[in-house]
Amino acid sequence: MKHQDPHFDYISSARLPTRWGQFTIHGFVEKDSGQEHVALSYGDWQPDEVVPIRIHSECLTGDALFSTRCDCGAQLEKALQNIVEQGRGVLLYLRQEGRGIGLLNKIRAYHLQDKGMDTVEANEHLGFDADLRDYGICRYMLDCLGVTKVSLMTNNPRKIQALQDLGIEVVARTPIDHGITDDNRVYIRTKTLKLGHAFDPHLLK
């Protein structure tokens, strides 16, 4: 499991039962920042097999507090369900709240959205790029788990490009159009129009 890397380190693994099935949780850390991330793995595979994966950026409000302002919580649950149904897979859970701006700045951005800005305008008004997420640790996490080829559950083409740039073979993309509500339809339209996310347009009407 452990690989040598100047920037990242593997910490430990443990059994993690969930309502979908029994996963194994693996802990990782960025050495420079001390930021912690986890991967959830399910099932077994050979090094050359295609493994279903999801890269999920932390969203406290959606994942843990059941907010319907975004689709994050629904996508997280669907990804875990999909992995179990397929008999194997990995969820990389990256601690980069609010597309990388942090929890408190996300709340500030929500306040600006309440006043009429969209999600991109709010981030930029606060002095941030629309998306500050970094996926550099993904290669290390997948190397530790013996994954070289993936079927990626995502609507975000940037994640596909990020993995390809890291030398991970993305064999297929699986859409994950879940959690669209009246509360987040405008938000998702903005991600589609301004950030290039690939949602079924019929779901956004």
Side-chain angles (χ1 to χ4, degrees), residues 55-153:
I55 303 172
H56 191 89
S57 296
E58 180 181 52
C59 176
L60 178 70
T61 49
D63 298 344
L65 301 178
F66 316 110
S67 168
T68 56
R69 289 188 73 133
C70 64
D71 52 341
C72 302
Q75 290 186 347
L76 174 61
E77 293 189 7
K78 183 60 177 175
L80 294 174
Q81 179 184 336
N82 287 348
I83 287 169
V84 172
E85 288 178 350
Q86 294 178 73
R88 63 184 178 185
V90 174
L91 183 132
L92 304 181
Y93 195 88
L94 306 185
R95 307 289 303 281
Q96 39 190 4
E97 183 82 42
R99 297 199 303 273
I101 68 174
L103 178 60
L104 297 185
N105 281 320
K106 184 170 83 169
I107 295 172
R108 292 186 178 102
Y110 276 177
H111 176 71
L112 294 172
Q113 291 170 46
D114 288 343
K115 293 182 174 297
M117 293 186 185
D118 66 36
T119 181
V120 171
E121 292 167 344
N123 277 28
E124 291 175 345
H125 183 82
L126 292 172
F128 302 107
D129 288 340
D131 193 338
L132 291 172
R133 287 176 291 182
D134 182 272
Y135 302 104
I137 196 172
C138 293
R139 173 62 186 265
Y140 179 77
M141 297 168 90
L142 293 173
D143 281 350
C144 287
L145 296 172
V147 176
T148 59
K149 300 177 182 178
V150 304
S151 174
L152 181 62
M153 289 177 270

Side-chain angles (χ1 to χ4, degrees), residues 9-29:
D9 204 4
Y10 160 75
I11 304 302
S12 189
S13 300
R15 186 175 62 91
L16 188 73
T18 75
R19 65 177 181 266
W20 298 280
Q22 182 166 293
F23 287 78
T24 301
I25 187 169
H26 313 272
F28 300 87
V29 65

Side-chain angles (χ1 to χ4, degrees), residues 179-194:
I180 299 175
T181 69
D182 290 340
D183 293 321
N184 64 34
R185 208 173 301 274
V186 172
Y187 161 77
I188 293 172
R189 283 197 197 106
T190 301
K191 289 203 298 183
T192 301
L193 294 172
K194 292 191 174 183

Side-chain angles (χ1 to χ4, degrees), residues 54-55 133 135 152 154 156-163:
R54 162 85 178 155
I55 303 172
R133 287 176 291 182
Y135 302 104
L152 181 62
T154 189
N156 186 353
R158 296 186 184 190
K159 291 181 180 179
I160 299 172
Q161 189 63 54
L163 288 184

